[in-house]
Amino acid sequence: MTHYLEQDLVAHLAAFQAVLLLVVLSNVCILRRAARHGSPQSWARVSVLVPARDEEGNIARCVGSLLAQDYADLEVLVLDDQSSDGTRAVLEAMARADGRLRIIAGQALPEGWLGKAWACAQLAANAEGELLYFTDADTVHQPQALRAAVAALEGTRADLLTGFPRQIVHTWGEKLIVPFFSWACYCFVPLALAYRLGLPALSFAIGQMLLFRRAAYEAIGGHAAIRGSVVDDLALARTIKAAGYRWRVLDATALVSCRMYRSGQEAYAGLSKNLFAAAGCRVIPYLFVSLWLLVLFLYPPILLGLRADGLATGAPVALTSACIILALAVWLIPYRALRLPTWLAALYPLVVAVSALVALRSLWLTANGRLIWKGRQLKRLAWRLF
């Protein structure tokens, strides 16, 4: 009986992975098509908006790449969010050299707001453009990035365009933690369905690249509508979709790069802040998904290893091997599309195990009101079982 149950489980895992592979392949095709748009009839004025808090080491490269854009009608606004380092001095020197750069002094954080949402709301209030392009201070943009993003926005008739930037990872901690969110979006959000169904849950956004039509941004209430959200980019995507506006995704790996964290410890803290909140703070579904991912990607290689040692006699080797090959494809194709080191895909069991640890820590920190980011205590989030 155990033998048949084991074989049945592996067969179901293989079937599920086959479905994920179809989603991945479909998403690759759709994302490539999104980049194939000609020039629009006119180029709208774009306000490039960058919140910055203690970004002395990043801000010059980021703003320099934005001021070097091959786009005629743009302004660059950077909000100094009460930085305690040399961020403001770097910005002032750059502003003296290029009048398109405006520096906004961040105001005190109001009650009920989280820091990044408040910073972005202040930036939007000072912007003049018809299009609002939010990005992060740790990004670097290729000269054609803004032109390509605007062309894609107009070509897809989107109200919000987001994109997958290239994530730069150096340390082992970064390599095992940082790619997980992008990989999960690639695998679990079938864009062919998400674009046709009005389900906010079938949407995501990456804050390093958010291009809004100003009218749509203001119609949903801007960042004020998601002022208390820890995962502000995801909340904005779901809000714009719930309001009936058009949301699209772009493969931006050739346009924008970002090193979000400078160490494994920073990456661990960053994903711990976001993961449970991104799942809607629902404990039972969150734990179920975490456990399912462990079974899906760890059980087949463990089983094959036990069979090789003569310690298991369950599912056939061919079926278990097929399951592992499918899993490798499910990791390899998104990693290649995201321009991540492809050899990292072979370490997917370790990535899943580390992500499960981060998931548990995220749950514990959120439930106990222990979330801290950039020196600010985040408010305790309300959670529920389902």
Side-chain angles (χ1 to χ4, degrees):
M1 178 65 74
T2 302
H3 170 83
Y4 291 112
L5 289 175
E6 193 171 272
Q7 181 173 329
D8 193 49
L9 174 59
V10 175
H12 281 85
L13 295 179
F16 190 85
Q17 288 169 352
V19 172
L20 290 183
L21 182 56
L22 291 175
V23 171
V24 166
L25 293 172
S26 171
N27 283 348
V28 168
C29 294
I30 290 171
L31 289 168
R32 285 178 179 171
R33 284 201 301 270
R36 299 171 185 166
H37 293 287
S39 299
Q41 292 183 346
S42 62
W43 297 93
R45 181 166 175 76
V46 179
S47 295
V48 181
L49 309 175
V50 185
R53 178 176 171 85
D54 295 337
E55 295 285 357
E56 181 181 4
N58 295 319
I59 198 65
R61 289 184 68 210
C62 174
V63 174
S65 73
L66 293 169
L67 292 172
Q69 288 300 297
D70 179 20
Y71 197 93
D73 195 4
L74 86 160
E75 61 171 356
V76 179
L77 279 68
V78 182
L79 183 129
D80 174 26
D81 190 9
Q82 302 181 347
S83 297
S84 59
D85 62 3
T87 298
R88 182 62 183 250
V90 173
L91 288 170
E92 288 175 346
M94 298 184 77
R96 286 193 293 270
D98 195 320
R100 294 174 300 167
L101 172 60
R102 285 197 284 149
I103 306 168
I104 310 297
Q107 302 301 308
L109 188 65
E111 183 69 27
W113 285 77
L114 292 185
K116 187 175 180 182
W118 174 234
C120 289
Q122 293 174 82
L123 284 164
N126 284 275
E128 298 175 352
E130 179 186 339
L131 303 179
L132 305 178
Y133 183 78
F134 294 95
T135 190
D136 289 343
D138 49 12
T139 57
V140 176
H141 292 66
Q142 296 301 309
Q144 72 276 22
L146 193 57
R147 177 178 287 268
V150 172
L153 181 88
E154 298 296 351
T156 59
R157 296 178 289 111
D159 298 293
L160 167 60
L161 180 80
T162 189
F164 286 104
R166 183 181 181 187
Q167 302 296 346
I168 306 300
V169 291
H170 290 313
T171 67
W172 271 105
E174 293 170 78
K175 290 172 182 175
L176 295 176
I177 295 173
V178 171
F180 180 77
F181 179 76
S182 295
W183 170 84
C185 292
Y186 237 101
C187 292
F188 292 100
V189 182
L191 295 176
L193 288 177
Y195 288 168
R196 290 168 173 79
L197 302 178
L199 298 175
L202 281 180
S203 63
F204 63 87
I206 297 173
Q208 296 143 12
M209 184 181 186
L210 294 172
L211 179 60
F212 281 95
R213 295 188 191 275
R214 188 186 194 114
Y217 175 81
E218 292 178 346
I220 65 168
H223 278 80
I226 52 96
R227 68 189 68 183
S229 175
V230 172
V231 194
D232 56 291
D233 45 11
L234 182 62
L236 284 167
R238 291 178 174 176
T239 302
I240 204 121
K241 196 170 185 187
Y245 289 99
R246 195 177 180 89
W247 156 85
R248 290 294 183 266
V249 185
L250 177 70
D251 177 359
T253 54
L255 304 173
V256 183
S257 62
C258 176
R259 188 180 181 191
M260 285 195 291
Y261 308 110
R262 296 286 166 171
S263 67
Q265 185 175 1
E266 282 189 13
Y268 186 55
L271 200 61
S272 295
K273 172 179 73 76
N274 292 335
L275 207 53
F276 186 51
C281 295
R282 296 177 297 163
V283 176
I284 300 301
Y286 182 74
L287 291 176
F288 173 80
V289 170
S290 299
L291 179 60
W292 175 245
L293 288 177
L294 285 172
V295 174
L296 182 64
F297 293 115
L298 267 63
Y299 182 69
I302 289 173
L303 180 61
L304 193 63
L306 291 175
R307 282 187 63 93
D309 290 337
L311 300 176
T313 59
V317 172
L319 180 59
T320 308
S321 299
C323 197
I324 294 171
I325 291 170
L326 282 167
L328 277 170
V330 165
W331 287 84
L332 178 61
I333 294 171
Y335 272 46
R336 184 177 178 83
L338 294 165
R339 302 193 182 201
L340 291 161
T342 51
W343 60 267
L344 280 174
L347 301 180
Y348 73 86
L350 185 55
V351 173
V352 172
V354 170
S355 298
L357 292 176
V358 176
L360 289 176
R361 184 171 186 264
S362 182
L363 172 59
W364 184 83
L365 289 174
T366 304
N368 288 278
R370 299 283 296 275
L371 292 176
I372 298 174
W373 190 244
K374 292 205 170 185
R376 285 172 171 160
Q377 175 76 45
L378 304 184
K379 71 172 186 176
R380 184 189 293 268
L381 301 179
W383 55 271
R384 56 192 187 275
L385 288 178
F386 291 97

